[in-house]
Amino acid sequence: MIDSKIREQLVAIVGNENYDDTISGRLVYSYDATPNHQELPDAVISPKDKQDVCQILKVCNLEKIPIVARGSGSNLCGGTCPVEGGIVLLFKHMNQLLEIDKENLTVTVQPGLITQDMIKQVEAAGLFYPPDPSSMKISTIGGNISENSGGLRGLKYGVTRDYVLALEVVLPNGEMIHTGGKLAKDVAGYDLTRLFVGSEGTLGVITEATLKLIPKPESKKTMLALYQDIEAAARSVSQIIAKRIIPTTLEFLDKHTIRAVEDFAQIGLPTDVEAILLIEQDGPPEIVARDIQHIADICRSEQAVDVTVAKSDEEAEKLTTARRTALSALARLKPTTILEDATVPRSEIATMVKAINDIAIKHNVKISTFGHAGDGNLHPTCLTDVRDKDEMERVEAAFADIFAKAIDLGGTLTGEHGVGVMKSPYLEWKLGEAGIAVMKGIKEAIDPNNIMNPGKMFAKELKKRVVIGE
């Protein structure tokens, strides 16, 4: 607990109305969207501005009090669960869009701004911010940057880090630094901007960000390809990319996910097929029409039983909105939903999809698979019940096999969800002992007192590397 003298210092900084150490107030921020992880913070603080953040961190660094900077808590890796107590920082007062610069094609924002709210304001100005995590209706820009969030449009446009030009960051000692700028080129020193993107709040607190914008696409078309063979759908993904066509989105849903989404969204998805590809292309109308035709031909050549193009923008929007509900739809079916994001080279999608199904059978668990197949990022999702200890052990073993297979195929543990608590025991499988040592060296140099989101990234207990086939 925070003693009375330190409490007085913190209240003096933010005011009584922005300091909450009641049981109910702390309970609300003791967990995030990750199942089976919950710890009470000692207090919840809402800084009014960046100066408050600097002062709070100075006090906490001196007293060695943990700090967890939190967006909306929509992450799926336990990244904002305060596993070592301390203070949860909320940014409800720092949620403004500060500037849209049409000459330099940038937008400058505070960390608490909701992603979709920013996208709407940017598009109203005739510009485009592509990163679109499925949680964008509730997630914040600060959270997106901390986790390096992806989204449905990642195949063509990349992920959050590809749009972060500059950051204002408060370091653990309370000092503020500025990285990058409104620049197309900048090689002055280490790329500190990219260091903080995806660092999951373990190095500092982001208080402002300048993001790159691009011109809004002229047009777009959306299509559905239906399959009775799940591996044929996966092969189609690899073939589309091999033909050098890069769609805006190229999403994969297996039959279990399709049925859950249709039951949830009621938009008329066919529930009698094994898999669906949801594909969108944008750009000049003539290029979009050409690409959609080529993609349809490829899908048919790979045994698609039906290929249809959305007849209107409204129909297309219903399809993409339904895809964004996949996790919510599946989560209704069982008490506990564990969703991962193993990622492989795009050429290995078919191999990975088959491996996931084989692993589910091996461990006698039910795994639904959907995800951003076009960029190799799959979301194997296990519907289970945390109260069933035997099944939970089998689920954990299944995901360990999935991580191992992804790495064996040249992939990674996580494409967009982050490491947090959930994947930290496995991180050395990907990076090796030397890679972990480099990361720890960076962490210790910037945060020697380990106050920034402690207990994340670096596991206290490592998992033994799984060798598939043993």
Side-chain angles (χ1 to χ4, degrees):
M1 294 296 292
I2 295 171
D3 71 34
S4 58
K5 288 185 178 179
I6 297 170
R7 185 185 188 281
E8 287 175 9
Q9 292 179 61
L10 294 169
V11 168
I13 295 168
V14 298
N16 274 307
E17 69 279 11
N18 292 311
Y19 185 98
D20 189 351
D21 57 4
T22 63
I23 290 292
S24 58
R26 292 156 56 208
L27 184 63
V28 172
Y29 298 104
S30 63
Y31 59 92
D32 54 29
T34 315
N36 211 25
H37 287 282
Q38 185 172 16
E39 293 289 343
L40 279 174
D42 296 311
V44 179
I45 299 180
S46 304
K48 302 181 296 300
D49 51 37
K50 65 185 72 174
Q51 287 75 29
D52 281 3
V53 176
C54 290
Q55 292 183 64
I56 292 166
L57 263 64
K58 285 179 181 177
V59 171
C60 289
N61 193 50
L62 182 65
E63 302 295 339
K64 296 181 174 58
I65 298 171
I67 291 276
V68 179
R70 181 185 172 107
S72 296
S74 57
N75 78 89
L76 295 164
C77 64
T80 50
C81 178
V83 294
E84 296 188 15
I87 289 169
V88 168
L89 281 187
L90 302 182
F91 296 93
K92 62 184 181 182
H93 301 306
M94 299 173 66
N95 62 352
Q96 299 301 302
L97 189 154
L98 302 175
E99 177 195 49
I100 295 177
D101 184 339
K102 293 185 178 181
E103 291 185 348
N104 288 302
L105 297 183
T106 64
V107 59
T108 301
V109 300
Q110 292 180 315
L113 180 62
I114 299 296
T115 309
Q116 184 166 275
D117 292 347
M118 185 200 75
I119 288 174
K120 286 180 178 179
Q121 292 182 67
V122 163
E123 291 188 356
L127 295 168
F128 187 44
Y129 178 76
D132 61 336
S134 294
S135 60
M136 65 182 186
K137 287 185 178 180
I138 59 170
S139 66
T140 65
I141 290 295
N144 292 174
I145 293 171
S146 292
E147 296 290 341
N148 189 22
S149 300
L152 276 67
R153 296 190 287 239
L155 169 58
K156 184 172 185 177
Y157 289 108
V159 296
T160 299
R161 71 163 174 246
D162 300 308
Y163 295 86
V164 180
L165 294 174
L167 291 174
E168 179 181 81
V169 181
V170 180
L171 299 176
N173 63 7
E175 293 182 2
M176 183 182 292
I177 63 170
H178 296 83
T179 74
K182 295 179 181 180
L183 304 165
K185 294 179 179 179
D186 182 3
V187 294
Y190 294 145
D191 191 342
L192 297 179
T193 304
R194 286 213 168 195
L195 175 63
F196 284 99
V197 176
S199 63
E200 302 185 21
T202 62
L203 300 178
V205 176
I206 295 165
T207 52
E208 193 173 294
T210 298
L211 310 173
K212 178 175 72 175
L213 304 177
I214 62 176
K216 193 174 179 181
E218 295 176 43
S219 68
K220 66 179 179 181
K221 283 186 179 293
T222 303
M223 63 180 284
L224 272 184
L226 314 182
Y227 295 82
Q228 292 298 354
D229 181 346
I230 192 170
E231 291 180 38
R235 286 196 306 271
S236 296
V237 173
S238 298
Q239 284 300 309
I240 290 166
I241 303 302
K243 296 294 185 182
R244 296 172 174 78
I245 303 171
I246 307 298
T248 308
T249 64
L250 181 43
E251 298 290 302
F252 171 92
L253 294 83
D254 72 3
K255 65 180 179 182
H256 303 298
T257 310
I258 296 165
R259 290 168 185 170
V261 168
E262 174 57 22
D263 186 54
F264 181 75
Q266 299 285 310
I267 63 165
L269 288 177
T271 57
D272 58 348
V273 294
E274 292 294 314
I276 282 176
L277 293 182
L278 172 63
I279 305 164
E280 182 179 286
Q281 182 62 297
D282 65 14
E286 63 278 8
I287 294 176
V288 171
R290 181 199 69 192
D291 285 354
I292 286 291
Q293 183 58 56
H294 287 170
I295 292 168
D297 291 343
I298 292 168
C299 292
R300 291 189 181 102
S301 73
E302 290 291 345
Q303 304 171 37
V305 296
D306 190 33
V307 178
T308 58
V309 177
K311 297 178 176 63
S312 66
D313 290 344
E314 291 75 20
E315 183 181 349
E317 185 61 28
K318 283 182 180 179
L319 290 172
T320 53
T321 299
R323 159 59 188 89
R324 293 184 196 282
T325 69
L327 175 57
S328 299
L330 288 165
R332 301 164 72 218
L333 304 181
K334 280 292 216 47
T336 306
T337 304
I338 301 176
L339 180 150
E340 290 296 355
D341 70 325
T343 303
V344 295
R346 293 176 290 207
S347 60
E348 300 288 358
I349 279 289
T351 305
M352 192 66 204
V353 168
K354 183 178 185 303
I356 290 169
N357 291 336
D358 291 345
I359 289 166
I361 293 169
K362 172 186 172 183
H363 293 282
N364 189 28
V365 295
K366 182 178 179 180
I367 297 179
S368 303
T369 302
F370 65 96
H372 320 303
D375 54 24
N377 186 192
L378 293 172
H379 294 317
T381 305
C382 194
L383 306 178
T384 183
D385 187 336
V386 72
R387 295 166 295 186
D388 186 336
K389 301 302 182 185
D390 176 66
E391 185 172 76
M392 286 299 293
E393 287 179 4
R394 287 185 280 114
V395 168
E396 183 176 347
F399 278 120
D401 279 2
I402 288 171
F403 297 152
K405 185 64 177 179
I407 292 170
D408 287 346
L409 292 173
T412 186
L413 304 169
T414 174
E416 59 185 4
H417 291 171
V419 176
V421 179
M422 288 285 283
K423 295 195 188 74
S424 61
Y426 306 95
L427 187 59
E428 191 172 307
W429 294 9
K430 171 63 178 173
L431 299 182
E433 188 176 342
I436 296 291
V438 170
M439 286 181 56
K440 285 184 175 179
I442 293 169
K443 168 72 169 172
E444 290 166 5
I446 296 174
D447 182 22
N449 290 327
N450 192 31
I451 66 164
M452 300 307 306
N453 208 5
K456 314 298 166 57
M457 288 277 196
F458 308 108
K460 293 179 180 177
E461 294 184 15
L462 300 177
K463 294 290 185 181
K464 182 182 177 182
R465 175 71 160 90
V466 171
V467 179
I468 300 297
E470 281 194 344

